[in-house]
Amino acid sequence: TDQENTATTEGQPVDSDGNDIGTPVTDDSNDGTDPLIGSGGGSEPTPIAIPGIGVAKEISGTPTQLPNGNYSVTYSFIIENIGNTTLNNISLVDDIEAQYGSAFVGIITPPTASVGTGNGSYSGNNTDPELLGLDATLLQGAMMTAAVTIEIDPDAAGAITNAQGQLENQATASGTDPNDNVVTDLSDDGTDPTGGDEVTPLCIPSVGLAKDFVSAIPVGEQGIYDVTYDFRVANTGCSD
């Protein structure tokens, strides 16, 4: 909703002795810096520009294991203009390597965007962390989406995880209003760009199995044995 405001000024004419002359004069404010425009006539409310942007990030679908044992993960983003001005030069920065460590391997599918273009040179690290082509404009209340597919190795020695063994990541969206003010927002997990600033966790489920020989006891005829094995199964992933 647009915010606007009008002020009213009033003055009482007086003579050289300070005596009132006639009736008070009034004027409603006109937008701008020239008080003579619209003086004594029409007025134009002064709009209040409050730019704002929101972004949400989620994992699209289920991570897919690749032939080399790594995983393909697709991230989807929703960016919304939540202010009351137009936003230009929409940006989406995501330095995945800085947050995943060596668990980040590389880009499988370069970024795509529903408005403007994706940055085909996006690297996922500090070489080029910009996903968009900086050519998108969002009108008040408008949304756009973006997506990128990356390769990760969750078992890499230098992977950065939280206490639950999850990889965590967060992107930053920004836009520039008509007065060249830049607004930013950290992504929230999920699909609501107006939510908080919660990181997006990535959990790769996995299981481990060990088999150990315990004993072989002869029974009956020669060469017949009762063989006992010990099996141990462990949840080696980060989900129940």
Side-chain angles (χ1 to χ4, degrees), residues 44-67:
E44 181 182 346
T46 299
I48 303 174
I50 306 177
I53 195 169
V55 58
K57 175 179 182 177
E58 70 169 350
I59 297 169
S60 180
T62 302
T64 302
Q65 190 165 28
L66 301 171

Side-chain angles (χ1 to χ4, degrees), residues 221-238:
E221 300 179 12
Q222 185 177 3
I224 305 288
Y225 294 86
D226 277 344
V227 179
T228 300
Y229 291 99
D230 179 62
F231 296 88
R232 298 191 180 188
V233 180
N235 181 350
T236 57
C238 52

Side-chain angles (χ1 to χ4, degrees), residues 183-234:
V183 290
T184 65
D185 183 53
L186 290 172
S187 63
D188 188 44
D189 182 38
T191 59
D192 183 5
T194 65
D197 295 330
E198 182 179 349
V199 297
T200 298
L202 171 60
C203 179
I204 303 296
S206 63
V207 65
L209 173 64
K211 178 181 179 181
D212 184 40
F213 169 74
V214 176
S215 64
I217 301 174
V219 292
E221 300 179 12
Q222 185 177 3
I224 305 288
Y225 294 86
D226 277 344
V227 179
T228 300
Y229 291 99
D230 179 62
F231 296 88
R232 298 191 180 188
V233 180

